[in-house]
Amino acid sequence: MKRRELLKLAALTAALLTTTAMLAGGAHAQDKKWKVGFSQVTTIEPWRAQFNKDILAEAAKHPEVELIVTDGEDKTEKQVADVENLIRQEVDALLVSPKESAGLTGVVQQAIDAKIPVFVLDRNVETNDYTQFVGGDNKLIGRAAGEYAVELLGGKGKAAGNVVEIWGGMGTQPAHDRHDGFHEFTDKEPGIKNLLDQQSGDWKQDQAYNIMATALRNNEKIDLVYGHNDPMAYGAYLAAKDAGREKDIKFIGIDGLPNEGVQLVANGELTATFTYVTPGAEGLRQAIKFLNGEKVEKTIILPTQKITKENAAQILKDNGL
């Protein structure tokens, strides 16, 4: 799927999800038992759109729940205001997926101090007083990506090549974990050279395109790109394609959405992706479980899977694509 089509799909999905969320909290709210607030950082990124889709689908299975979904519009200040508003609405539980770990810590603590159980999804905050964290193990995913990068570049003890790493948001723990896990493997290989120093694409395809375009101008040889998510890996691929160099480079991403990363792997545009399952459905299930008086674990880690050309087609078939 091309860049423009991905952006259109994400925008359309975001609009539909917003409408659905408003309807879910509308005329029948008086019949609900629990009011659950969900603060999402943004709805225009494909992974975030899927995140919302998953949580709304789960909410539809629970007629006792009124789910209120807010969109932080990719701004920390807006998301903080959204959470403050949910606190004022006295939600029975708060689910929050922060834009920035530090930036959302204060308002999350406000919710905790107001005796609202808080479920942190995907990106953590800088307090352990929340009820539960649900998300992937980003360091583990980074390790899997790093191990595969070493394999692609010649194997353990023999790997060699120039690597471009494009970070997600520098203020988010997942970006640091994906970096650290990756380098646990690549830094052991003296033949691997890292060409960039913490270049952040802020999880955005267009920013990654610009970073890669500059890297291509400044380096005659690039062997592998590691993007902290699939949109950035694809943005780098597009830049390389525009420069006529895409066939000489391997591209690794993370997220593994069937209609995005998996499709890009099947098309041969990405070499591999690693699934980062959205925590929306599981997060809501856990919140309902807690509200019903059941015990919940402090941390739930969702599984990951490596997707290459060998298994991408089957995954697409399993998802009706």
Side-chain angles (χ1 to χ4, degrees):
M1 189 177 290
K2 300 304 179 187
R3 176 188 178 192
R4 194 169 298 166
E5 293 169 336
L6 281 170
L7 292 173
K8 286 182 179 178
L9 176 61
L12 177 60
T13 303
L16 290 173
L17 292 175
T18 302
T19 303
T20 305
M22 291 172 64
L23 291 172
H28 301 291
Q30 67 271 21
D31 301 325
K32 307 294 185 181
K33 181 179 179 181
W34 305 116
K35 185 191 295 183
V36 177
F38 171 44
S39 170
Q40 178 64 282
V41 57
T42 182
T43 57
I44 61 171
E45 296 172 13
W47 189 84
R48 293 286 166 181
Q50 184 64 47
F51 191 158
N52 278 29
K53 184 178 179 181
D54 291 345
I55 198 170
L56 288 168
E58 184 63 30
K61 301 174 185 177
H62 299 277
E64 75 278 18
V65 172
E66 175 194 358
L67 179 65
I68 304 169
V69 181
T70 64
D71 177 5
E73 299 174 0
D74 206 28
K75 301 181 182 73
T76 296
E77 319 81 67
K78 171 68 164 60
Q79 193 174 20
V80 168
D82 288 343
V83 174
E84 289 174 340
N85 186 40
L86 290 169
I87 294 171
R88 285 193 294 270
Q89 292 186 57
E90 298 182 345
V91 293
D92 296 295
L94 171 67
L95 282 67
V96 57
S97 186
K99 175 174 174 59
E100 296 177 308
S101 302
L104 269 292
T105 298
V107 75
V108 164
Q109 190 63 55
Q110 287 179 38
I112 294 167
D113 293 343
K115 308 302 181 185
I116 298 172
V118 176
F119 296 77
V120 181
L121 311 181
D122 171 42
R123 299 175 183 169
N124 223 323
V125 288
E126 296 179 359
T127 176
N128 291 319
D129 295 337
Y130 53 78
T131 301
Q132 186 182 64
F133 170 83
V134 181
D137 185 332
N138 284 289
K139 189 167 285 189
L140 181 65
I141 294 171
R143 289 180 187 131
E147 185 174 25
Y148 189 55
V150 168
E151 180 184 329
L152 289 172
L153 293 174
K156 186 176 179 181
K158 298 178 292 183
N162 293 337
V163 174
V164 165
E165 178 181 7
I166 303 178
W167 282 60
M170 300 301 298
T172 68
Q173 193 60 44
H176 288 270
D177 288 345
R178 292 178 186 188
H179 167 83
D180 292 344
F182 185 81
H183 284 267
E184 283 184 23
F185 283 86
T186 60
D187 286 357
K188 294 175 182 177
E189 303 295 329
I192 293 179
K193 179 182 178 182
N194 297 288
L195 298 179
L196 304 183
D197 180 23
Q198 295 190 350
Q199 291 289 306
S200 174
D202 195 30
W203 312 105
K204 307 295 193 304
Q205 180 177 302
D206 58 345
Q207 293 191 34
Y209 180 101
N210 293 334
I211 290 169
M212 185 62 177
T214 300
L216 288 161
R217 286 194 297 270
N218 294 336
N219 298 277
E220 292 184 6
K221 187 173 184 292
I222 297 174
D223 300 287
L224 185 141
V225 171
Y226 170 46
H228 284 190
N229 69 359
D230 290 334
M232 292 194 301
Y234 184 55
Y237 168 83
L238 291 175
K241 186 177 181 181
D242 287 348
R245 293 172 59 181
E246 81 281 5
K247 290 181 171 57
D248 301 323
I249 304 171
K250 306 292 187 183
F251 298 87
I252 296 177
I254 294 173
D255 280 351
L257 294 180
N259 61 355
E260 186 194 46
V262 179
Q263 187 68 66
L264 293 170
V265 170
N267 293 346
E269 294 162 315
L270 296 188
T271 309
T273 183
F274 294 80
T275 55
Y276 187 65
V277 180
T278 79
E282 185 61 35
L284 183 58
R285 283 194 292 268
Q286 292 293 319
I288 294 169
K289 182 179 177 181
F290 181 85
L291 291 171
N292 284 324
E294 299 179 50
K295 289 185 178 180
V296 298
E297 301 172 46
K298 186 70 174 180
T299 301
I300 290 184
I301 300 300
L302 302 173
T304 189
Q305 177 186 12
K306 180 174 76 177
I307 299 170
T308 64
K309 196 82 169 178
E310 284 70 30
N311 59 352
Q314 185 60 51
I315 292 170
L316 290 175
K317 183 178 179 181
D318 292 344
N319 284 273
L321 298 172

